[in-house]
Amino acid sequence: MPFSPELIIYGVIFIAVLALVEGVYLTIFGRSISLSNRVNRRLEMLDKGAKREEVLDQLRKEMQQHGKVRSIPLYSMLANKAQKAAIAFTPKQLMMMMAGVTVFAFIGLSLGTDTGLLMNIIISILMGVGGIYFWVSMKAGKRLSMIEEQLPDAIELMVRSLRVGHPFSSAIQIVSREVEDPLATEFGVIADESAYGRDIGEALKDMAERLDMQDLRFLAVAVTIQQQSGGNLAEILAGLSKVIRARFRLFRRVKAITAEAKWSGKFLSGFPVAALIFINLSDPHYYDGVKTHSLFIPACITVGLFLAANLFVMRILTDIKV
């Protein structure tokens, strides 16, 4: 059975699509937009001479623009993750990127493979849409993971600020200056909104809902209750920090315990599909002898349903709420 290099070409083109999107993103918005940068992006924008109102307006636009266009059919599947990732690309720019990388993938497939025109078009669209979706999902996952790790330290910093006599608004500002991105910019926006008259509890609640993080909801509720009924906010936040750290450790432990089962489910469901693709690329006529059988299509549908059921069942078994 001769080996076809087309499978490798597909993988190379998909990786090139991701590299192209990341390169364009950093080229347009600068290195400061990257999560690997240790410089607080908000402070960097202020140091460049931008006014506080302009910085606040730009950051709020980036954080909220994707949540306002979920009615667009093609973009709706990206809106939630793009909002969590705070992608600086506008929805229109992201859709243009989808079209651009689809054309890029089509050119690469046309030059590097002997696949037919229709198949190249289908695979190019899948690479264009799937590549952007994978890239945005990767950005969102990385950003939320960093925020989860930074949050306990940020709360403890607020506790120390409150205990030395700073008001809560000043504690928020200290966090926005002392911690790293992405949490620093999020709290910087809250500090600026508070300076212009917005209630801090409401701003924290909006951030928690936008990022869909339970720990941030705890923080917002704690601050709101203290504002309404009084009490020692420093002690409340100190207890909350301990709860978040314990919850985070438990979540990591559960994740480690269920990792084998999750990957087993993915492998068992993905391997037959990967083997089918490899066989068809290596020998396109391998299934010619059974394609005309009356049970071929029902059998394919049955196998697909079993694979989907396997993923669904394994997800239920390993989806442990912490």
Side-chain angles (χ1 to χ4, degrees):
M1 181 183 296
F3 174 74
S4 174
E6 290 186 354
L7 186 61
I8 299 177
I9 295 175
Y10 290 152
V12 170
I13 292 176
F14 185 76
I15 294 173
V17 164
L18 297 179
L20 175 64
V21 176
E22 181 73 12
V24 171
Y25 190 63
L26 295 181
T27 300
I28 294 177
F29 297 104
R31 182 63 184 172
S32 63
I33 200 72
S34 174
L35 292 179
S36 62
N37 189 30
R38 298 179 66 87
V39 179
N40 185 323
R41 181 168 177 245
R42 170 177 166 271
L43 295 181
E44 184 174 289
M45 293 169 66
L46 291 173
D47 289 340
K48 291 181 179 179
K51 296 182 179 180
R52 190 177 183 182
E53 298 89 343
E54 296 174 350
V55 174
L56 176 61
D57 183 66
Q58 179 178 343
L59 292 176
R60 289 183 65 182
K61 180 180 178 181
E62 292 177 2
M63 293 174 179
Q64 300 175 1
Q65 62 184 344
H66 302 285
K68 299 178 180 179
V69 291
R70 294 179 179 176
S71 59
I72 301 177
L74 180 62
Y75 190 75
S76 58
M77 60 181 180
L78 272 178
N80 188 40
K81 291 186 178 296
Q83 180 172 301
K84 292 178 181 178
I87 297 295
F89 278 141
T90 64
K92 183 178 180 180
Q93 288 172 332
L94 270 180
M95 287 187 285
M96 291 176 62
M97 286 294 297
M98 285 184 186
V101 296
T102 298
V103 173
F104 174 81
F106 177 78
I107 294 174
L109 291 173
S110 299
L111 296 177
T113 68
D114 296 327
T115 313
L117 177 62
L118 180 60
M119 185 59 66
N120 280 346
I121 293 175
I122 295 174
I123 296 177
S124 299
I125 294 175
L126 292 177
M127 284 188 175
V129 177
I132 296 294
Y133 182 83
F134 179 80
W135 177 76
V136 173
S137 299
M138 182 177 61
K139 287 285 185 182
K142 182 179 180 181
R143 188 169 187 268
L144 293 180
S145 177
M146 293 179 69
I147 290 177
E148 288 177 346
E149 293 184 6
Q150 290 177 312
L151 186 58
D153 293 332
I155 294 177
E156 290 181 356
L157 181 57
M158 286 189 285
V159 170
R160 292 194 294 269
S161 300
L162 292 171
R163 285 175 174 170
V164 298
H166 291 292
F168 186 63
S169 58
S170 297
I172 293 289
Q173 292 178 0
I174 291 173
V175 170
S176 69
R177 293 195 303 266
E178 298 298 329
V179 302
E180 299 176 2
D181 270 346
L183 190 61
T185 298
E186 292 282 353
F187 273 87
V189 170
I190 293 177
D192 290 342
E193 290 177 340
S194 174
Y196 289 109
R198 190 180 187 189
D199 180 70
I200 294 182
E202 180 184 343
L204 286 170
K205 181 179 179 181
D206 286 348
M207 180 177 70
E209 294 301 325
R210 173 166 46 81
L211 297 178
D212 192 22
M213 289 183 57
Q214 192 65 35
D215 293 338
L216 284 175
R217 291 191 181 98
F218 293 156
L219 176 61
V221 169
V223 172
T224 302
I225 292 176
Q226 191 277 336
Q227 288 177 337
Q228 295 175 354
S229 59
N232 191 334
L233 183 58
E235 294 299 325
I236 295 173
L237 294 183
L240 177 61
S241 176
K242 294 178 181 179
V243 170
I244 292 176
R245 286 190 182 278
R247 188 169 177 268
F248 188 73
R249 288 195 298 268
L250 180 59
F251 177 77
R252 285 294 180 90
R253 185 177 179 182
V254 170
K255 186 176 181 180
I257 293 173
T258 59
E260 181 181 358
K262 288 181 179 179
W263 281 104
S264 296
K266 293 177 181 178
F267 177 80
L268 292 174
S269 295
F271 180 78
V273 177
L276 178 64
I277 295 174
F278 179 79
I279 291 174
N280 276 279
L281 292 175
S282 302
D283 186 2
H285 304 290
Y286 186 82
Y287 291 102
D288 287 352
V290 296
K291 282 182 179 180
T292 56
H293 197 281
S294 59
L295 296 178
F296 181 75
I297 299 300
C300 291
I301 295 175
T302 302
V303 171
L305 292 176
F306 274 119
L307 294 177
N310 176 64
L311 278 177
F312 182 72
V313 171
M314 294 300 295
R315 183 177 181 84
I316 292 176
L317 293 177
T318 58
D319 186 18
I320 301 177
K321 300 296 182 182
V322 179

